[in-house]
Amino acid sequence: MTGVALAMAYGSSFLLSDALSAAGHAASTAGAVISVGTVATLVGSLFAGRLAERTGILPLVAASASIMAIAMACFAMIGTGGLPLAYAGGLSLGLGWAIFYMLAPIQLIHCLKPSARLEALTLLSGSQMLGIGMSAPLGHAIADHFGGPAKAYAFYACVCALVAAFSLLIRRRMADQPQLPMRAVALTVPATLSILRARTVAPVIMIGIAACTFAGLSTFQSLYAGSRGLAPDIFFLTFTVTTVALRFSVASMIGRIPLGRLGLALFIATLLGIGLLLINAGSSILYVVATILFATGYGLTYSTLNAMVVNLAGECGLSVPVASQVFTLGYFIGLFGFPYFAGSLIAAYGIDSALIAMAGLVAANIASLGWSLRKANTESTHPNRS
């Protein structure tokens, strides 16, 4: 419930241009507001663990919901408060989402054994995707029937406030549940380097690469669709439906598959999806099939690699919470960094060049993980070889 509700609030940034226009401001200002939120997200990600070490995770989840409620209230009052409230809302939204996004997986990991983590993380990511996917349609429906985008943001503010209260209510119940012991949560330089120097670095790099593909396709999908005479809404609708359906339907089953083999299969599906997009000359059917393949591969990659990195951290005697946070930072780097690189490629060589680059990145993931699996299999078959 918390994941769905806060993801809905985060996804409401899609309504921001409408809210700015309704208040008499340029819709393009939404880009600058979102940029402020992106900076706040990165800064908040660095300090969430340090705060959690002092206060505990659930109080901070409640705080993040409260901060996001403030963000929604700021967006709701742009008409009376002007652009300063819009920027304050963007700052609050980025900060609140960073705290929740970094700490929610750690709370699950804290309460679950390694064998159950993949299912829980898959359900969490499915909840977040569902919330983001629902946000814009629900917000538009509220705006159309109750008097504009400000009413939609007021609704989301109330939802976030309820989530904050709910998080505080369940804090005492969670304290009575059996939980695994956890090491340091603070994201310090030495702790981060320990993750990057161990086997745990592999899933971190892989998720950064996977995030590049998602960021590239989502950011420039309109350009791609236009180059093929297609409608970009086909991609976004198909991707969202496929991803949410998969995350909820197979969560209880994928935990039985070895993580390495599952990750390899997901990377292959991702590569096939990008390959079909590349060769598609304008077929809507092929567009849907390619999107389903990409969504199947990418949609389950995050939770699979997240489970992999925290399990490896446990095996190596490293901090599991720090491993989870470094993993998320790797995701953010790919997500926020690749669009600039892809945009430069597109400007120089066209949209297909970006698709080829993304296919190459996924191929690198396949080669790296395949080599790791082969090496592990060789070591298990010939344990005396060094």
Side-chain angles (χ1 to χ4, degrees):
M1 172 184 141
T2 300
V4 173
L6 295 189
M8 283 173 56
Y10 180 69
S12 70
S13 58
F14 295 128
L15 302 170
L16 187 54
S17 59
D18 293 340
L20 288 165
S21 295
H25 303 288
S28 59
T29 308
V33 174
I34 297 303
S35 295
V36 170
T38 299
V39 173
T41 299
L42 294 173
V43 173
S45 299
L46 296 176
F47 295 99
R50 190 177 298 275
L51 292 172
E53 203 168 62
R54 298 179 179 179
T55 66
I57 292 177
L58 277 177
L60 273 180
V61 170
S64 71
S66 300
I67 293 170
M68 293 183 76
I70 292 172
M72 298 297 100
C74 287
F75 291 151
M77 295 187 293
I78 290 175
T80 55
L83 289 180
L85 275 183
Y87 284 106
L91 184 68
S92 301
L93 182 63
L95 181 61
W97 180 249
I99 294 171
F100 172 74
Y101 199 82
M102 292 293 282
L103 298 181
I106 299 176
Q107 181 63 42
L108 290 178
I109 294 164
H110 190 25
C111 301
L112 298 171
K113 295 180 180 180
S115 59
R117 288 171 181 166
L118 179 54
E119 177 180 353
L121 291 171
T122 301
L123 290 173
L124 175 63
S125 61
S127 299
Q128 292 168 348
M129 180 60 72
L130 177 62
I132 291 174
M134 289 172 52
S135 182
L138 179 60
H140 284 133
I142 295 172
D144 292 343
H145 290 88
F146 296 99
K151 296 296 191 298
Y153 278 118
F155 170 77
Y156 286 135
C158 293
V159 170
C160 291
L162 289 174
V163 168
F166 175 75
S167 299
L168 292 176
L169 285 174
I170 66 170
R171 180 186 177 190
R172 183 171 298 178
R173 287 189 60 187
M174 290 294 294
D176 297 332
Q177 299 295 318
Q179 299 180 3
L180 296 176
M182 298 291 280
R183 298 179 65 179
V185 180
L187 192 64
T188 63
V189 172
T192 300
L193 291 177
S194 71
I195 300 300
L196 298 179
R197 289 169 178 165
R199 290 185 296 156
T200 45
V201 71
V204 173
I205 294 173
M206 289 176 188
I207 193 58
I209 290 175
C212 289
T213 64
F214 174 67
L217 287 182
S218 59
T219 302
F220 301 106
Q221 192 56 220
S222 294
L223 285 177
Y224 169 81
S227 71
R228 265 70 173 179
L230 299 167
D233 288 347
I234 294 175
F235 174 86
F236 291 110
L237 179 60
T238 304
F239 178 85
T240 301
V241 171
T242 303
T243 303
V244 172
L246 275 174
R247 288 177 178 177
F248 282 112
S249 63
V250 306
S252 61
M253 296 181 287
I254 59 176
R256 305 168 193 168
I257 306 173
L259 290 174
R261 293 180 182 178
L262 176 60
L264 188 60
L266 295 175
F267 289 150
I268 291 172
T270 303
L271 181 59
L272 289 174
I274 295 174
L276 288 180
L277 288 173
L278 185 60
I279 66 173
N280 186 15
S283 168
S284 296
I285 295 175
L286 194 57
Y287 195 22
V288 170
V289 172
T291 304
I292 290 173
L293 277 171
F294 177 77
T296 299
Y298 176 80
L300 298 175
T301 292
Y302 188 93
S303 55
T304 300
L305 294 179
N306 199 358
M308 188 184 296
V309 75
V310 297
N311 289 350
L312 283 173
E315 294 172 8
C316 297
L318 302 173
S319 170
V320 170
V322 170
S324 178
Q325 292 173 84
V326 172
F327 175 85
T328 304
L329 286 175
Y331 171 74
F332 283 153
I333 289 171
L335 189 70
F336 297 139
F338 185 74
Y340 174 79
F341 173 75
S344 300
L345 269 181
I346 292 169
Y349 305 106
I351 185 66
D352 284 7
S353 64
L355 291 173
I356 292 171
M358 286 183 272
L361 289 173
V362 179
N365 264 354
I366 292 172
S368 176
L369 187 53
W371 179 83
S372 298
L373 290 175
R374 183 176 180 180
K375 181 181 178 182
N377 184 59
T378 301
E379 290 176 351
S380 63
T381 306
H382 306 283
N384 293 327
R385 291 186 180 180
S386 59

